[in-house]
Amino acid sequence: MKNSKMNPAKIVIATLTLSLVLASCGTPSVQEKAEDVKTHTFSNGETLNYRHVDGLIVSDDIIVGTEQEFPGMIDRYEEILVARKDPEAQNNKVSPQGVGIIKNCDINFFFTTCQDSRWKDGKVYYSVDNTFSQTEKQSIALALADWNLRVTGVKWIYQPSAPNRVAFTRETDPNACGHSSIGYKGGVQQLRLQCFKQGVIQHEMGHAVGLFHEQSRCDRDNFVTIQWANIKSGYSGNFNKACGNTVSDYGTYNYKSVMHYGAYGFSSNGKPTIVPKNGVALTDIGQREALDAGDISAINKMYAAGTVKYH
Ligand SMILES: [Zn+2]
């Protein structure tokens, strides 16, 4: 329903997946330089905005993969796009070895295989680099403690020797507050930070467990209007919607989500890029105080919805 109530909501990775995404850590204090941003256009017209940071490829505050992995990721996705257009191409490539049903799995650039990107049993193991100061470590510890106190479905567990874990590391990109992958990747995945407000830390933690940006919800057009003309050149891909079989909108739209962009994210001219509907004020979106009750219920729901087995 459309209204101005701040109901729990959110978009989340469903069982298998993830899709396009992107967006900002929402903190306007750090501006990305447009000249650093590249755009890759896939053969189906989809676009991906990205930058190089410390050997990684990032798209807004989302870590796409390493520079080494990136060309292969593009090739793999292009092969899938070709096979979709021409099923024969796929048949010629792989010798048939059986017969069976196909998986109902909507492949996208970020996830070219069907896999469950949730953390097994809702347990996220983590480590914290020693490069952080005591004060910074304390901010991270407080954000973690608040999460573990309020979120029942996903717990962060300090285990620096865990082979599959989130490593809190220092963000060195002067243009970003932080970066994170979306969901479980396997191995040591970075959660990079250089802003230590609780809401910023929990925003990146939200990505790490599988949340997309709130305004990427498939139903967002009922709740906000994207002002395309005000978006900085090269950044419109950050405002893509995440729709498809592998992504779910949970609950209703939540303007108060810690995962929501601010009204002026990626503005080229000081005018809003996202205008809320339903009488909601511009200042009522994009909070970075802490996880909202709707964020918490979305995370719990995402991890309770378990028809697909974990990775
Ligand atoms: Zn983000």
Side-chain angles (χ1 to χ4, degrees):
M1 66 186 180
K2 303 184 202 173
N3 61 24
S4 57
K5 283 205 296 197
M6 308 313 171
N7 283 332
K10 184 130 309 10
I11 196 180
V12 172
I13 68 177
T15 44
L16 331 160
T17 265
L18 288 280
S19 78
L20 302 172
V21 185
L22 312 308
S24 114
C25 81
T27 318
S29 55
V30 210
Q31 288 255 320
E32 282 186 281
K33 286 180 287 180
E35 58 270 26
D36 294 339
V37 176
K38 299 185 170 73
T39 300
H40 181 83
T41 304
F42 296 100
S43 59
N44 66 346
E46 263 178 54
T47 57
L48 174 75
N49 302 334
Y50 68 93
R51 292 186 302 127
H52 293 256
V53 174
D54 256 5
L56 297 172
I57 299 296
V58 303
S59 189
D60 187 20
D61 68 329
I62 310 291
I63 297 174
V64 175
T66 65
E67 285 176 345
Q68 287 80 4
E69 290 167 339
F70 189 55
M73 291 173 77
I74 289 177
D75 289 348
R76 199 152 56 242
Y77 189 49
E78 282 295 351
E79 281 176 17
I80 288 166
L81 294 175
V82 169
R84 271 184 180 166
K85 258 194 278 179
D86 177 11
E88 282 304 309
Q90 187 69 13
N91 291 341
N92 294 338
K93 218 171 158 207
V94 182
S95 304
Q97 292 183 300
V99 62
I101 56 169
I102 56 162
K103 279 187 186 175
N104 180 19
C105 185
D106 192 15
I107 301 296
N108 60 60
F109 173 69
F110 285 84
F111 295 89
T112 47
T113 56
C114 296
Q115 66 160 21
D116 190 334
S117 299
R118 291 174 298 178
W119 290 80
K120 192 171 189 310
D121 300 329
K123 290 178 181 167
V124 184
Y125 298 107
Y126 74 92
S127 57
V128 180
D129 277 12
N130 274 325
T131 52
F132 291 117
S133 70
Q134 276 312 111
T135 313
E136 290 163 351
K137 281 182 182 169
Q138 205 165 27
S139 300
I140 294 170
L142 285 171
L144 284 157
D146 177 69
W147 177 299
N148 283 343
L149 188 66
R150 295 194 295 142
V151 182
T152 54
V154 178
K155 300 292 186 187
W156 291 71
I157 299 161
Y158 181 67
Q159 200 171 113
S161 60
N164 301 310
R165 68 177 193 273
V166 170
F168 284 85
T169 52
R170 177 172 295 285
E171 180 58 75
T172 55
D173 177 3
N175 301 312
C177 267
H179 285 105
S180 173
S181 305
I182 292 191
Y184 171 92
K185 305 299 279 185
V188 179
Q189 63 187 73
Q190 295 183 42
L191 189 159
R192 299 161 64 91
L193 289 173
Q194 69 178 329
C195 303
F196 297 91
K197 199 171 176 183
Q198 180 160 303
V200 172
I201 299 171
Q202 291 184 336
H203 175 105
E204 298 302 339
M205 291 167 67
H207 284 316
V209 304
L211 294 178
F212 286 93
H213 293 116
E214 187 73 8
Q215 78 284 343
S216 299
R217 285 176 61 112
C218 206
D219 63 356
R220 66 107 183 272
D221 294 330
N222 295 327
F223 302 91
V224 295
T225 305
I226 304 299
Q227 303 287 351
W228 298 101
N230 298 337
I231 296 172
K232 274 195 287 190
S233 168
Y235 288 90
S236 58
N238 290 5
F239 293 81
N240 288 343
K241 282 193 276 190
C243 301
N245 294 341
T246 61
V247 185
S248 281
D249 288 349
Y250 285 96
T252 54
Y253 197 93
N254 182 9
Y255 292 108
K256 291 288 192 191
S257 170
V258 80
M259 305 307 293
H260 206 302
Y261 271 14
Y264 298 90
F266 301 99
S267 175
S268 61
N269 53 12
K271 293 180 184 166
T273 48
I274 304 178
V275 176
K277 297 181 175 180
N278 309 309
V280 175
L282 289 173
T283 49
D284 279 348
I285 61 173
Q287 66 91 6
R288 289 295 179 274
E289 296 304 317
L291 285 173
D292 175 74
D295 296 320
I296 292 171
S297 72
I299 294 164
N300 289 338
K301 227 174 193 173
M302 174 169 59
Y303 275 76
T307 53
V308 174
K309 63 179 188 303
Y310 293 103
H311 47 80

